[in-house]
Amino acid sequence: MITALAGGVGAARLLAGIAGVIDPTEITAIINTGDDVTLHGLHISPDIDTVTYTLAGLGDAERGWGLAQETWHVMDALARLGGQAWFRLGDTDLATHLYRTQRIHEGATLSQITHEISSSLGVRSSLLPMSDDPVKTYLTLASGEEVGFQDYFVRFHHDVPVSAIRFEGASRAVPSPGVIESLSSADTVIVCPSNPLVSIGPILSVPGISDTVAARRDSVVAVSPIIAGRALKGPADRLMSELSHEPSAAGVARLYAHLAATMIIDVADAALADDIEATGMSCVVTDTVMSTPDKAMELAKRAVDASGSSHAA
Ligand code: GDP
Ligand code: CA
């Protein structure tokens, strides 16, 4: 069994790779919900949907989020009305949010709904929201204004400096059913190459999760989302430097050293291996750019094997 901590795009790519090298039913992903947002009265869970669509083989590989062959008639019509069209929701994608919102009104939990949607779409792995309780990521901008994650990320194109991050609701949140059990019992826990501060950070802010991972640190493997000092996509590098973390694979290692015994970094960062081992982690250097499904499977194999436990292909 493999349990992974997952944000959106980087995580979805690695999880698809893992599902290519071990039985998908042996995989559990614990997914960030700090980015969840209500728009048009609909409950949207962007990271859960990215992972779900990718593992279902329905995702748009190039964009990384949303569905392949999507159309945008509803958004275009909404823009014509002067409605809120900055957060793009494709016509087919909207069905997911309609379904989720209706089920929430019926009293279902986010974990039940995530299971319903992912199994309807043919996903065989277990996808668990980090919590069924609302936890919302807020960022303080240099101007002093505090904004929700999607405002920062989509509306401001993450092009504004940030001075603080806060996870509202985290202290009262409870891990969703199965989260702690799957983190304790997995052969290996993998921290996916997701933004450490705004994708993995919210997951670790839910009481009990970080302690459970730290307690089994020897078989926890983290994959750096930072390659040669840059995020492949998104603001991870900038956020790290704005919040006084070195924007490098070594900076990521310092954030994870208490949780994970092994760090996987890209060949471009081979020179950082000594710095990383100085944090007390062992360092695996390999190609970590998942530009094709085969490359994602290669990386997945390294991650699954890195902690020494053995899995059948
Ligand atoms: P999102 O912003 O919600 O999609 O989620 P993530 O936090 O998972 O994604 C952003 C991070 O994933 C960025 O820091 C990227 O550098 C990282 N990432 C995306 N694709 C890859 C990849 O192929 N390899 C590695 N190592 N990191 C990746
Ligand atoms: Ca996200």
Side-chain angles (χ1 to χ4, degrees):
M1 295 292 279
I2 297 286
T3 296
L5 304 185
V9 177
R13 291 200 173 118
L14 183 60
L15 285 162
I18 300 172
V21 298
I22 71 166
D23 179 347
T25 63
E26 302 265 301
I27 302 169
T28 300
I30 298 169
I31 307 173
N32 173 40
T33 58
D35 304 358
D36 286 18
V37 62
T38 302
L39 283 170
H40 324 294
L42 301 176
H43 184 114
I44 299 160
S45 295
D47 286 352
I48 291 176
D49 293 342
T50 295
V51 172
T52 302
Y53 294 159
T54 303
L55 290 185
L58 299 171
D60 185 294
E62 198 162 315
R63 222 187 301 120
W65 56 271
L67 290 155
Q69 279 125 42
E70 186 60 281
T71 57
W72 305 92
H73 300 296
V74 175
M75 282 297 116
D76 292 344
L78 190 62
R80 237 175 1 245
L81 296 175
Q84 275 196 318
W86 55 271
F87 192 89
R88 308 287 290 162
L89 298 169
D91 298 332
T92 310
D93 182 34
L94 272 165
T96 301
H97 316 307
L98 291 170
Y99 180 84
R100 178 184 292 121
T101 304
Q102 171 68 17
R103 292 288 291 128
I104 285 174
H105 287 303
E106 289 168 2
T109 63
L110 188 58
S111 22
Q112 287 171 323
I113 300 164
T114 300
H115 176 73
E116 290 166 7
I117 294 173
S118 61
S119 45
S120 297
L121 296 183
V123 175
R124 292 162 66 220
S125 304
S126 302
L127 308 187
L128 307 179
M130 64 194 201
S131 177
D132 284 330
D133 303 316
V135 176
K136 197 163 159 35
T137 300
Y138 282 97
L139 300 101
T140 307
L141 308 183
S143 61
E145 186 190 359
E146 194 179 49
V147 298
F149 181 81
Q150 299 304 345
D151 280 301
Y152 165 73
F153 198 83
V154 183
R155 196 152 66 87
F156 293 118
H157 307 289
H158 51 73
D159 200 14
V160 282
V162 166
S163 61
I165 299 174
R166 178 171 75 85
F167 307 120
E168 182 161 285
S171 62
R172 296 181 304 277
V174 176
S176 73
V179 163
I180 297 296
E181 295 76 358
S182 72
L183 284 172
S184 310
S185 64
D187 298 303
T188 301
V189 170
I190 296 176
V191 182
C192 290
S194 294
N195 188 314
L197 301 174
V198 293
S199 295
I200 303 300
I203 303 175
L204 297 174
S205 77
V206 176
I209 293 186
S210 167
D211 289 348
T212 305
V213 177
R216 51 155 313 152
R217 179 182 180 278
D218 283 355
S219 52
V220 180
V221 179
V223 181
S224 177
I226 303 286
I227 300 175
R230 323 256 338 175
L232 289 184
K233 179 187 151 278
D237 47 359
R238 270 178 291 121
L239 276 180
M240 286 180 73
S241 46
E242 285 158 12
L243 297 169
S244 310
H245 304 288
E246 182 184 307
S248 72
V252 176
R254 275 173 222 125
L255 288 169
Y256 290 151
H258 65 297
L259 296 171
T262 306
M263 185 83 210
I264 300 185
I265 66 168
D266 195 78
V267 286
D269 291 317
L272 295 176
D274 287 347
D275 272 10
I276 288 167
E277 302 215 318
T279 69
M281 298 174 103
S282 49
C283 184
V284 173
V285 181
T286 189
D287 192 354
T288 70
V289 181
M290 294 176 279
S291 47
T292 65
D294 280 348
K295 289 193 164 185
M297 281 199 284
E298 284 302 316
L299 177 59
K301 243 183 255 157
R302 295 301 295 265
V304 166
D305 293 340
S307 76
S309 50
S310 58
H311 295 270

